[in-house]
Amino acid sequence: MTEVRWGILGAAKFAREQMAPAIHAARRSRLAVLATSDPAKAAPFQAMDGALRVVDSYEAVLADPNVDAVYIPLPNSLHVEWTRRALEAGKHVLCEKPIAMRANEIDGLIALRDQTGLVAAEAYMIVHHPQWQQVRDWIKGGAIGELRRVNATFTYDNSSDPGNIRNAVETGGGSLPDIGVYTLGCTRYVTGQEPEAVLFADIRRESGVEVRAEAMIQFDGFTLTSLTSMRMLRYQSVTFQGTDGVVEVPVPFNPLGYGDAEVRLMRKSGPVEVCRYPGVNQYVRQVEAFGAAVRGEAEYPCPLEFSQGTQALIDMIWAAER
């Protein structure tokens, strides 16, 4: 396979602004088909590539023999269904996070992935960014001694947009499904550890939708404090504090959009070590890593099992609320 030919299910804003441009920019990758019945929504995608074909149904993308892989940016509540249907149609699948609303829903996707031999993964882009690979190397290499505490915050305010799918129960809304995967998943990625217990969970809701979640989670030897909110000032930060040093990630999740990617290592003595990553696009790297997995050139670095582990932790927080 010389290139991966992609189809996108739906003309979502995120697909338009991030993933379609990433597919165009990625090596050995091409956006071939977009499914939308709205010509106005299709126009920005066609402006990127005049050869892009537009069809009016998701089924048409899945039936297209000239599509190798499908990207799914649909509302959260539809992710499992359309991931399953795409795999059954013989397509590789990259689905937006969260790929499921409960951890046990991923069991069937793992089984179907293994049965078909296709690549199926959640679009968890941060693991493809070198800043997170550097943080993991520092923590696992003992640069800050014994890790004792992680503090992870990711907030924004969409209160002025009540029609947003993140503000609706029926579409799988809430801050934990939307951005909790980052505050929780980044800790699991860096440490390689799984949580032991949720010590505390404070969940705030509006019209049944979780709009703010703060939790303290016990891991082996350290605690994680996670704060996510859709009703606070736009802000993100992650800090790893150990017995001998601290690692700061000032722009952990949205570099290029929120700020410049850099990580800082502070120790008891010596200067602060800073690594900067100007211009790195984690979405392009994600598409290229997926393509390499499809072609059998490399293992995909974020398998469904990892995504299931993060969702299991979200499930633990829901349970602690009750």
Side-chain angles (χ1 to χ4, degrees):
M1 179 185 295
T2 58
E3 65 178 3
V4 176
R5 299 166 298 180
W6 287 85
I8 297 180
L9 303 189
K13 177 182 178 183
F14 189 79
R16 181 181 72 245
E17 294 182 349
Q18 299 293 350
M19 284 302 295
I23 291 170
H24 281 294
R27 293 168 294 180
R28 302 176 70 182
S29 175
R30 178 169 63 89
L31 179 55
V33 183
L34 170 71
T36 179
S37 58
D38 187 340
K41 290 184 177 180
F45 291 86
Q46 292 174 307
M48 301 177 204
D49 184 349
L52 176 68
R53 290 181 289 117
V54 178
V55 295
D56 62 3
S57 72
Y58 305 153
E59 290 85 356
V61 175
L62 301 189
D64 193 326
N66 295 311
V67 170
D68 305 305
V70 172
Y71 169 64
I72 302 175
L74 300 172
N76 297 341
S77 57
L78 299 176
H79 288 176
V80 170
E81 174 189 355
W82 284 98
T83 297
R84 174 185 57 78
R85 293 180 65 168
L87 288 171
E88 290 173 343
K91 308 302 183 187
H92 303 280
V93 182
L94 183 64
C95 179
E96 263 312 318
K97 49 75 192 166
I99 198 167
M101 299 305 297
R102 295 288 179 178
N104 61 8
E105 295 177 335
I106 303 177
D107 288 334
L109 301 182
I110 291 174
L112 193 54
R113 175 204 64 188
D114 294 344
Q115 174 188 332
T116 60
L118 296 164
V119 180
E122 181 181 70
Y124 194 63
M125 73 290 185
I126 68 169
V127 301
H128 305 281
H129 200 292
Q131 71 170 350
W132 280 109
Q133 295 157 11
Q134 178 62 68
V135 172
R136 184 176 59 175
D137 289 346
W138 276 338
I139 301 301
K140 289 194 170 184
I144 64 170
E146 297 295 325
L147 179 62
R148 291 291 180 254
R149 182 172 185 270
V150 181
N151 187 56
T153 300
F154 195 178
T155 61
Y156 63 88
D157 186 359
N158 69 355
S159 58
S160 63
D161 186 13
N164 191 296
I165 59 174
R166 296 167 184 81
N167 285 319
V169 173
E170 58 272 18
T171 49
S175 78
L176 274 176
D178 186 39
I179 52 179
V181 295
Y182 298 121
T183 59
L184 306 173
C186 74
T187 302
R188 294 181 55 251
Y189 173 74
V190 165
T191 65
Q193 288 197 31
E194 299 298 340
E196 296 177 344
V198 175
L199 305 176
F200 166 84
D202 179 23
I203 308 293
R204 309 293 176 88
R205 297 181 183 273
E206 294 178 8
S207 302
V209 179
E210 172 265 308
V211 298
R212 180 179 181 272
E214 186 167 14
M216 178 176 284
I217 300 120
Q218 182 67 56
F219 287 78
D220 182 14
F222 70 93
T223 55
L224 160 65
T225 300
S226 166
L227 171 64
T228 57
S229 176
M230 305 189 299
R231 297 295 184 269
M232 298 173 70
L233 181 71
R234 182 171 178 247
Y235 178 74
Q236 54 185 264
S237 175
V238 180
T239 302
F240 298 84
Q241 188 166 2
T243 55
D244 300 323
V246 175
V247 170
E248 293 182 342
V249 192
V251 187
F253 310 124
N254 297 128
L256 299 182
Y258 181 77
D260 295 327
E262 68 175 43
V263 290
R264 307 166 187 158
L265 171 61
M266 295 167 282
R267 291 183 270 204
K268 289 181 178 179
S269 60
V272 175
E273 186 174 343
V274 181
C275 297
R276 297 185 174 89
Y277 306 92
V280 172
N281 188 312
Q282 59 192 350
Y283 301 107
V284 173
R285 291 193 171 211
Q286 176 178 248
V287 173
E288 291 180 344
F290 191 88
V294 166
R295 291 186 292 269
E297 299 167 354
E299 293 292 325
Y300 194 67
C302 188
L304 288 178
E305 287 82 356
F306 177 86
S307 301
Q308 188 172 45
T310 299
Q311 186 58 52
L313 178 48
I314 293 176
D315 293 351
M316 290 171 63
I317 295 173
W318 296 137
E321 176 197 17
R322 294 192 294 270

